[in-house]
């Protein structure tokens, strides 16, 4: 038997309490097909927390041969916008595209669902024909779904609740309603006759009443220990245009009413959400159970949110950062928005590995950002093409190298991937090296270039620093060195051992590019701990822009490729989150995804 590990073999599918339940339901044959959904409200851009939910919902559908719907949970006309709808679709597509080709081990189980794939790629999507139970007309919809497409059905269900004596129109002010619910008192309108409720609700819908004057409430239990059951609101008046339904409606269902019914209409089996909805679950069940619905009811399951350290994950607070101009926009590579993460150069494979790797539990805890960065480095180390680039250049003259001569040296594209091959890099008499790789007064154990010292230039010669040239102000402007011309590969001194190896570019052949050096946006693990304003813990060094010298092959850099600038970090070509180049900046721009090592961990150890 061979001990070799088969890297191509899928890893076991992830296992957690939700998947265990789904597996049990599959074993019991409880549903003909597993059906999940990812239901963002289009009131902002998706962030890394949503990535966890996307991977969980689409992942379960994928592993159990089921289906996952992307649904815009758009019941609030005043906060939602088409721009967000489009970005959500783009972000979800980016995160799950090509999933089937990866080796994450998310193996499909069971029979393939009898679905048409929406775009030929994701067969775990489905465009269902919704059976409304309310009329002859079935709704034919395609992805993404919109809760607002169900407003007609949801309204009809509200009417049914009124008819059953389970909902009433309440005329109290919002403040009174809050106060009555808090103190467990019944509304004076609670026992309105059904006919009066039907009439008032019809007039609410017809636009007769101004905003805030009346609501539809469920009649459940005014003194229930769970405040969500104290005659909660089902519908409110909002004379506002909706991004998807226009001016068609002036009454809008509340989240709790619309969500369970949208799940039911789409045939969702497992409605998975975060823990804050646990207290809403009795209401979710009450609504569905009160309507005498003929088909199987969906059930809600809750898990703990992803809270990564050194990040803010709340759409509202992210909006505040953008609006305060503290970042360049939604797709600023320092933000944990999926658009920012994508622009930073993180691949969907790395983000999925992280989002799945953190696991699914009921325990709320902060996830160390180092885990996220580790997943990114693992991924980029495998795929990144190695290149030579100098971020903060200082000139080096090789005095014993002929003026005007150029030679092409072999450089390895990716030591982790033999098939990536080699390329030529030009060498000449004038070079740039990193300013940091020279020290006039070196600290102990300094193995880079120093006066009289030697260092190896990667893929090239060993050089010795003979002379340090300074300007009138005493700044080092040039290093004059001699090369051991027998020390390159194939030469008589090729094997000569030298402690330090540094990177370089040929001055005549390198080209200038803008390089944006991104770092963590916040200095504190929990930017808001101890009641702090998160704006006060912004990292002042989260972005440094340099004009770097890059080896000529990078002129052909492509957005799809990932690069490692040797000894410096992982970089990518900048592509704004909407996929369109920055109009005012036609130059090639590179973004640093991450440094090669976790410099923050080192800092923490030191202090
Ligand atoms: P935010 O607080 O950022 O506005 P939200 O929960 O209001 O987030 P929704 O658009 O309602 O955002 O979220 C869509 C889905 O993503 C929901 O099912 C929600 O539970 C889930 N989700 C949101 N944030 C996280 C997170 N940090 N970790 C895991 N899942 C999340
Ligand atoms: Mg929300």
């Amino acid at each position: 038997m061979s001990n070799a590990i088969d890297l191509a073999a899928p890893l076991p599918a992830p296992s957690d309490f939700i998947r265990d339940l789904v597996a049990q339901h599959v074993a019991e044959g409880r549903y003909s097909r597993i059906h999940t959904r990812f239901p963002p409200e289009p009131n902002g851009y998706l962030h890394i927390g949503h990535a966890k939910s996307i991977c969980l919902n689409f992942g379960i559908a994928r592993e159990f041969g089921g289906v996952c719907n992307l649904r815009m949970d758009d019941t609030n006309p005043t906060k939602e916008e088409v721009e967000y709808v489009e970005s959500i679709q783009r972000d979800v597509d980016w995160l799950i595209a090509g999933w089937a080709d990866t080796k994450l081990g998310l193996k499909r189980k069971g029979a393939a669902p009898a679905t048409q794939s929406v775009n030929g790629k994701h067969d775990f999507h489905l465009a269902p024909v919704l059976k409304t139970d309310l009329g002859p007309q079935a709704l034919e919809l395609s992805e993404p779904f919109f809760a607002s497409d169900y407003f007609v059905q949801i309204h009809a269900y509200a009417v049914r609740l009124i008819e059953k004596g389970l909902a009433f129109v309440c005329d109290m002010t919002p403040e009174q309603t809050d106060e009555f619910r808090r103190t467990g008192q019944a509304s004076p309108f609670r026992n309105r006759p059904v006919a009066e409720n039907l009439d008032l609700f019809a007039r609410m819908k017809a636009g007769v009443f101004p905003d805030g004057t009346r609501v539809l409430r469920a009649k459940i239990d005014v003194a229930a220990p769970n405040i969500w059951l104290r005659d909660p609101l089902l519908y409110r008046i909002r004379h506002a245009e909706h991004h998807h339904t226009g001016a068609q409606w002036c009454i809008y269902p509340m989240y709790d009413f619309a969500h369970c019914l949208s799940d039911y209409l789409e045939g969702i089996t497992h409605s998975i959400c975060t823990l804050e909805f646990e207290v809403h679950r009795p209401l979710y069940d009450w609504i569905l159970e009160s309507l005498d619905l003929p088909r199987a009811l969906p059930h809600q399951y809750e898990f703990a949110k992803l809270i990564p350290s050194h990040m803010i994950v709340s759409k509202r607070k992210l909006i505040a950062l953008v609006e305060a101009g503290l970042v360049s926009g939604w797709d600023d590579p320092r933000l944990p928005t999926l658009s920012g993460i994508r622009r930073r150069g993180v691949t969907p494979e790395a983000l999925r590995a992280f989002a799945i790797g953190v696991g699914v539990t009921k325990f709320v805890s902060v996830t160390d950002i180092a885990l996220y960065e580790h997943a990114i480095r693992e991924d980029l180390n495998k795929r990144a093409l190695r290149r030579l680039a100098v971020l903060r250049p200082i000139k080096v003259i090789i005095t014993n190298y002929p003026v005007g001569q150029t030679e092409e040296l072999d450089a390895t594209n990716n030591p982790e991937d033999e098939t990536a091959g080699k390329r030529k890099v030009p060498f000449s008499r004038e070079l740039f090296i990193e300013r940091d790789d020279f020290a006039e007064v070196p600290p102990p154990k300094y193995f880079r270039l120093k006066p009289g010292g030697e260092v190896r230039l990667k893929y090239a010669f060993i050089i010795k620093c003979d002379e340090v040239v300074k300007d009138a102000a005493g700044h080092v402007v040039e290093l004059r060195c001699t090369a051991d011309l027998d020390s390159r590969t194939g030469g008589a001194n090729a094997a000569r051992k030298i402690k330090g190896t540094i990177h370089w570019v040929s001055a005549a052949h390198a080209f200038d590019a803008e390089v944006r050096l991104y770092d963590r946006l916040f200095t504190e693990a929990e930017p808001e701990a101890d009641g702090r304003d998160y704006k006060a813990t912004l990292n002042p060094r989260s972005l440094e822009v340099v004009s770097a010298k890059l080896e000529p092959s990078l002129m052909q850099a492509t957005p799809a490729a990932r690069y490692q600038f040797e000894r410096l970090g992982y970089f990518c070509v900048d592509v704004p989150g909407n996929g369109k180049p920055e109009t005012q900046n036609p130059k090639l721009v590179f973004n640093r995804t991450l440094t090669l090592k976790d410099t923050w961990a080192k800092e923490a150890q030191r202090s």
Side-chain angles (χ1 to χ4, degrees), residues 37-54 56-57 71 73 88 255 259 271-277 303-308 312-318:
R37 86 284 172 266
F38 171 64
E41 182 179 358
N43 62 350
Y45 283 65
L46 296 183
H47 54 63
I48 191 167
H50 296 113
K52 175 168 179 170
S53 181
I54 294 168
L56 179 60
N57 281 295
R71 180 204 309 149
D73 205 342
I88 288 170
Y255 167 87
H259 200 85
S271 179
I272 302 167
C273 59
T274 37
L275 281 179
E276 69 271 25
F277 293 104
F303 68 98
K305 276 196 164 179
L306 172 66
I307 310 170
I312 292 274
V313 282
S314 146
K315 282 186 256 167
R316 191 174 50 77
K317 289 171 190 164
L318 290 170

Side-chain angles (χ1 to χ4, degrees), residues 208 235 261 481 548 570:
V208 174
Y235 259 94
L261 290 170
C481 303
Y570 296 104

Side-chain angles (χ1 to χ4, degrees), residues 381-400:
N381 182 43
K382 280 187 221 116
R383 71 172 77 225
L385 295 170
R386 274 53 172 179
R387 291 292 181 261
L388 297 177
V390 174
L391 298 182
R392 298 171 189 89
I394 182 170
K395 186 68 109 20
V396 167
I397 311 285
I398 312 291
T399 52
N400 62 336

